[in-house]
Amino acid sequence: MIPVTTTKTRIFIIEEQALFGKALCQLLAAEPSFEVLGDLPRVDPASPPRVGADLVVLDLNGPSIDYADEITRCKQAFGNARICVLSTQLRPEIMQRCVAAGADAYLAKDVSPSELIRAVKTVANGESYVDPRIAGSLLRKRLLSDGRMSSDELSEREGEVVRLIAQGLSNKEIGVRLCLSEKTVKNHVSRILSKLNISARAQAVVYAIRMGLV
Amino acid sequence: MRTYVVEPQQIFVPSLLHLLQESGLSIVRVRDVLDPLDVLRTRPQMLFCDCDAMDDQIVQGLQFLSDSMPELDVCIYSRTEPLSPRVRMRAPTRLLHLEKSASHEALVSALGRFVVNA
């Protein structure tokens, strides 16, 4: 019989808020495919924890911190580990700064437990992940500044629908969220596809990727 | 002490509630945003508010509550400078500031003292 081996993703957590760090440890340790190696309040490249982490969940907050510098320090301390940033900042420009500095994921700190686990799994699989709310916001900005959109901009409601599509919601779910009928949502989606000059909602996500959102 | 909790970070809610109960507080409601009218309807003795981002909406909400429920004790759990919420609220409400970097034991101890002195 061939033995079955499973490789767990080894995770280290950098979180200044001690209690939140412990909450993250508990949540991630409960996932069978993860192994939580420990947590620290901050990164010290001079004496990095010698733990061989595959992935670091890095808390970055505060108006005065240098996001790129913190990510560089983290990469120095943890070598090739992938980096998943957690932040209270929802501003797309901060997310872009983090991704440019080498972060593999960027999530708002009020993310749901299930979404955090999904994001960590995505990053552990070698892909990238950006909080859909932030990606949606950036998408709207990019779309509005794109020449193709100048004469035919998305309305505020269409922008909301795009954001929810990016979150993976169906028309029915979007309808519930926005208190609209499914038919009305369908009409919004049709107009959005027309304005973006695409034929399927999945292409909206592809479009976001091409725009450098993820 | 009947406590109304505002905690926007779902991940953190179970740990926080455990800590508050260990400190002798009785949780009557947990919300992810500060809704002053809901607090008013619930009539807690204490409002525990995690306000990492002390935006205008939160400050206005706290000020409204200080005017409407002057007997309400408020606990701010944030990274901000300790007395700024009181200064901005300009209200007589009893206020406790807890720093996010504090350990579990330090938080339980500070909350316990606050409850005893109520």
Side-chain angles (χ1 to χ4, degrees), chain A residues 30-102:
Chain A
E31 180 63 30
S33 59
F34 298 159
E35 179 185 357
V36 177
L37 303 172
D39 68 301
L40 281 174
R42 60 191 63 82
V43 183
D44 182 2
S47 56
R50 303 191 183 285
V51 291
D54 301 313
L55 188 149
V56 178
V57 176
L58 175 64
D59 165 52
L60 287 181
N61 285 300
S64 58
I65 72 161
D66 184 328
Y67 288 81
D69 188 47
E70 291 293 329
I71 289 167
T72 303
R73 284 155 59 90
C74 187
K75 289 186 94 66
Q76 285 170 354
F78 289 94
N80 292 326
R82 296 177 68 76
I83 297 175
C84 182
V85 172
L86 266 185
S87 176
T88 53
Q89 296 287 340
L90 286 167
R91 287 155 52 199
E93 60 270 27
I94 290 181
M95 177 272 288
Q96 287 174 299
R97 214 177 301 161
C98 290
V99 171

Side-chain angles (χ1 to χ4, degrees), chain A:
Chain A
M1 178 185 248
I2 300 170
V4 177
T5 56
T6 54
T7 307
K8 291 191 174 191
T9 302
R10 292 165 300 170
I11 300 172
F12 200 87
I13 293 164
I14 304 292
E15 168 60 63
E16 191 184 14
Q17 186 186 344
L19 223 52
F20 193 87
K22 298 301 175 202
L24 278 175
C25 285
Q26 283 178 5
L27 174 72
L28 295 174
E31 180 63 30
S33 59
F34 298 159
E35 179 185 357
V36 177
L37 303 172
D39 68 301
L40 281 174
R42 60 191 63 82
V43 183
D44 182 2
S47 56
R50 303 191 183 285
V51 291
D54 301 313
L55 188 149
V56 178
V57 176
L58 175 64
D59 165 52
L60 287 181
N61 285 300
S64 58
I65 72 161
D66 184 328
Y67 288 81
D69 188 47
E70 291 293 329
I71 289 167
T72 303
R73 284 155 59 90
C74 187
K75 289 186 94 66
Q76 285 170 354
F78 289 94
N80 292 326
R82 296 177 68 76
I83 297 175
C84 182
V85 172
L86 266 185
S87 176
T88 53
Q89 296 287 340
L90 286 167
R91 287 155 52 199
E93 60 270 27
I94 290 181
M95 177 272 288
Q96 287 174 299
R97 214 177 301 161
C98 290
V99 171
D104 300 289
Y106 188 95
L107 289 156
K109 222 170 169 182
D110 61 354
V111 64
S112 69
S114 59
E115 189 179 351
L116 175 66
I117 289 169
R118 188 165 64 239
V120 171
K121 283 182 175 175
T122 301
V123 173
N125 284 334
E127 297 170 45
S128 301
Y129 193 95
V130 172
D131 191 305
R133 291 168 294 178
I134 303 166
S137 165
L138 190 56
L139 174 62
R140 276 199 302 280
K141 277 188 180 176
R142 295 275 181 100
L143 291 176
L144 293 174
S145 63
D146 185 351
R148 284 185 297 169
M149 297 302 297
S150 58
S151 61
D152 206 9
E153 294 181 353
L154 294 186
S155 68
E156 193 176 336
R157 177 62 90 190
E158 288 163 352
E160 285 178 310
V161 173
V162 167
R163 183 172 61 80
L164 295 173
I165 289 173
Q167 288 179 21
L169 271 63
S170 67
N171 286 351
K172 191 173 181 180
E173 290 166 328
I174 292 171
V176 171
R177 190 74 70 88
L178 299 179
C179 299
L180 299 172
S181 72
E182 193 174 356
K183 187 170 184 305
T184 304
V185 175
K186 267 186 182 173
N187 290 338
H188 281 307
V189 172
S190 297
R191 275 197 297 275
I192 290 164
L193 298 183
S194 169
K195 287 181 178 182
L196 291 177
N197 194 25
I198 55 180
S199 57
R201 59 197 295 141
Q203 286 178 281
V205 178
V206 173
Y207 185 81
I209 293 168
R210 284 185 181 155
M211 296 292 279
L213 298 175
V214 290

Side-chain angles (χ1 to χ4, degrees), chain B residues 66-86:
Chain B
S66 294
D67 294 340
S68 313
M69 294 178 65
E71 74 284 4
L72 179 71
D73 290 340
V74 175
C75 177
I76 304 288
Y77 183 52
S78 76
R79 296 172 201 268
T80 54
E81 186 275 318
L83 290 181
S84 60
R86 179 191 282 281

Side-chain angles (χ1 to χ4, degrees), chain B residues 22-25 96 106-118:
Chain B
E22 191 181 335
S23 307
L25 302 172
L96 172 67
L107 294 171
V108 170
S109 171
L111 276 165
R113 284 197 302 276
F114 192 67
V115 171
V116 166
N117 294 327

